[in-house]
């Protein structure tokens, strides 16, 4: 086996490991609200989320094209494969660090940061216009839209059910949350599994096993969908506690409003714009939005501040780890 093929196989394996960590890191995005309101049991919620992740991964490849072609230009051959491998290591390390501390940071932005950091360390081209248009602007807008849309939906629910009995309303929204949580999990698969597909496709192009204009192979789609589903089923309990309980004590109507708003933003970004937005940012800001409709003090802003700090640090921290990984791999392989 020549070095190039061995590196391609290695990068694909590391990409699927990243996909798995993405699944258990972000499992909370889809189900934390449903579990915290007792709409679903934890194990049933995880099984549902894993299944919907798998289905969502097959709904499109627009985000994969952005990640695979629109962020960096990796050179052909061994050098390019080292860059892609280093970017994945940067993303995985940051995922594990934030998972350990229970912080719902963005796996998507960790991957983008990894790609940029490895590219800069190797003096490769970074498409800064693509980073700005497809990453930075959506990174700013998606939480704001998620916050506002969730607040609007929650206000509509409060007005529409103002004369209903609270116990009956809560019971009804527990059932509705099964649908909204499934929609959120489908959106997670649509967004996050595609990011791994894009990186694997980039490795295949750099290694000379695909042409840049080819469609993403079916085996890449299937393997990425399977890895993120298995990771989701493994569960990310530390982050689930943060999203489901520490930001705000959620009721079933609030959980439904947050999930419905976040799912809407995810579908719009992926299908309409091919933008790799963060499911974590979107659902977290939506939870804050529904909490703020009750009263601003209902949101634990100290916890929210820690989360936002992790958001800000994600891209540069993952970029730094990826750059250091590039230097190490470059020294060992090339």
């Amino acid at each position: 086996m020549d070095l190039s093929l061995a590196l391609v196989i290695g990068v694909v394996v590391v990409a699927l490991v990243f996909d798995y960590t993405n699944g258990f890191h972000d499992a909370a995005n889809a189900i934390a609200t449903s579990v915290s309101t007792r709409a679903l049991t934890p194990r049933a919620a995880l099984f549902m989320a894993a299944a919907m992740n798998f289905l969502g991964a097959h709904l499109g490849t627009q985000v994969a094209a952005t990640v695979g072609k629109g962020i960096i230009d990796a050179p052909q051959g061994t050098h390019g494969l080292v860059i892609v491998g280093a970017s994945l290591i940067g993303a995985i390390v940051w995922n594990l660090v934030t998972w350990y501390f229970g912080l719902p940071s963005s796996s998507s932005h960790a991957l983008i940061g990894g790609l940029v950091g490895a590219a800069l360390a190797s003096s490769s081209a970074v498409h800064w216009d693509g980073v700005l248009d497809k990453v930075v602007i959506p990174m700013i807008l998606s939480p704001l839209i998620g916050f506002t849309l969730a607040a609007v939906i929650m206000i509509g629910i409060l007005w529409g059910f103002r004369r209903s009995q609270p116990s009956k309303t809560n019971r009804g929204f527990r059932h509705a949350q099964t649908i909204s949580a499934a929609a959120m999990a489908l959106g997670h698969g649509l967004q996050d599994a595609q990011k791994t597909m894009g990186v694997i496709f980039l490795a295949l192009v750099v290694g000379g096993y695909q042409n840049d204009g080819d469609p993403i192979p079916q085996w890449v789609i299937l393997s990425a969908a399977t890895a993120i589903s298995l990771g989701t089923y493994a569960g990310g309990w530390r982050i689930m506690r943060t999203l489901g309980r520490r930001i705000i004590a959620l009721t079933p109507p609030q959980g439904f409003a947050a999930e419905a708003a976040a799912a809407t933003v995810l579908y719009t970004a992926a299908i309409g714009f091919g933008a790799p937005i963060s499911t974590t940012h979107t659902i977290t800001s939506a939870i804050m939005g529904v909490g703020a409709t009750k009263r601003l003090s209902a949101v634990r802003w100290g916890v929210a501040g820690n989360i936002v700090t992790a958001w800000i640090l994600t891209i540069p921290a993952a970029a730094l780890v990826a750059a250091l990984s590039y230097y190490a791999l470059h020294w060992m392989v090339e």
Side-chain angles (χ1 to χ4, degrees):
M1 184 184 297
D2 66 12
L3 180 60
S4 180
L5 177 58
L7 283 173
V8 168
I9 294 172
V11 169
V12 169
V13 170
V14 174
L16 294 177
V17 170
F18 165 77
D19 206 22
Y20 182 87
T21 67
N22 189 340
F24 79 71
H25 188 279
D26 292 0
N29 295 345
I31 65 171
T33 54
S34 299
V35 172
S36 70
T37 61
R38 296 183 174 84
L40 294 168
T41 64
R43 193 52 63 184
L46 284 170
F47 181 80
M48 178 275 295
M52 299 306 286
N53 272 188
F54 187 85
L55 291 175
H58 289 80
L59 295 182
T61 57
Q62 297 97 319
V63 173
T66 297
V67 173
K69 305 172 186 178
I71 304 299
I72 68 169
D73 280 337
Q76 292 289 313
T78 301
H79 190 207
L81 290 168
V82 168
I83 293 169
V84 178
S87 69
L88 287 165
I89 292 171
I92 290 170
V93 169
W94 186 247
N95 268 358
L96 293 176
V97 168
T98 51
W99 166 81
Y100 180 80
F101 289 103
L103 292 173
S105 69
S106 170
S107 297
S108 308
H109 294 151
L111 181 58
I112 299 298
L115 287 168
V116 171
L120 291 175
S122 63
S123 300
S124 299
V126 177
H127 296 296
W128 293 111
D129 54 341
V131 173
L132 178 64
D133 294 342
K134 297 291 189 177
V135 180
V136 176
I137 292 176
M139 179 176 71
I140 296 169
L141 290 181
S142 58
L144 295 176
I145 295 171
F147 183 98
T148 304
L149 184 58
V152 169
I153 293 173
M154 191 64 221
I155 290 169
I157 290 172
L158 290 172
W159 186 85
F161 291 86
R162 64 191 184 280
R163 294 190 177 90
S164 299
Q165 293 180 351
S167 59
K168 187 177 180 180
T169 301
N170 284 341
R171 189 163 56 249
F173 274 102
R174 281 197 180 95
H175 295 303
Q177 267 199 278
T178 304
I179 299 172
S180 61
M184 182 68 200
L186 192 73
H188 181 237
L190 176 64
Q191 273 281 345
D192 285 45
Q194 285 195 52
K195 292 152 193 169
T196 300
M197 295 176 206
V199 174
I200 293 175
F201 183 77
L202 176 61
L204 294 174
V205 170
V206 167
Y209 293 93
Q210 291 283 153
N211 294 318
D212 198 35
D214 290 345
I216 293 177
Q218 189 61 39
W219 71 265
V220 173
I221 297 173
L222 185 62
S223 60
T226 301
I228 198 169
S229 298
L230 291 173
T232 297
Y233 191 67
W237 302 107
R238 291 172 184 264
I239 295 171
M240 203 177 298
R241 283 193 292 271
T242 300
L243 279 180
R245 298 174 187 173
R246 291 181 60 200
I247 296 174
I248 180 175
L250 289 167
T251 63
Q254 289 174 325
F256 173 82
E259 289 167 344
T264 301
V265 175
L266 291 177
Y267 296 147
T268 302
I271 298 172
F273 302 100
I277 67 168
S278 168
T279 54
T280 307
H281 292 195
T282 307
I283 187 62
T284 305
S285 59
I287 291 171
M288 294 178 192
V290 298
T293 62
K294 185 177 181 181
R295 61 181 188 279
L296 289 177
S297 60
V299 178
R300 298 185 180 100
W301 295 106
V303 175
N306 293 337
I307 293 169
V308 172
T309 300
W311 291 359
I312 294 169
L313 291 175
T314 292
I315 290 180
L320 177 60
V321 176
L324 295 174
S325 300
Y326 165 77
Y327 291 128
L329 290 173
H330 180 68
W331 177 76
M332 288 188 294
V333 174
E334 298 182 77

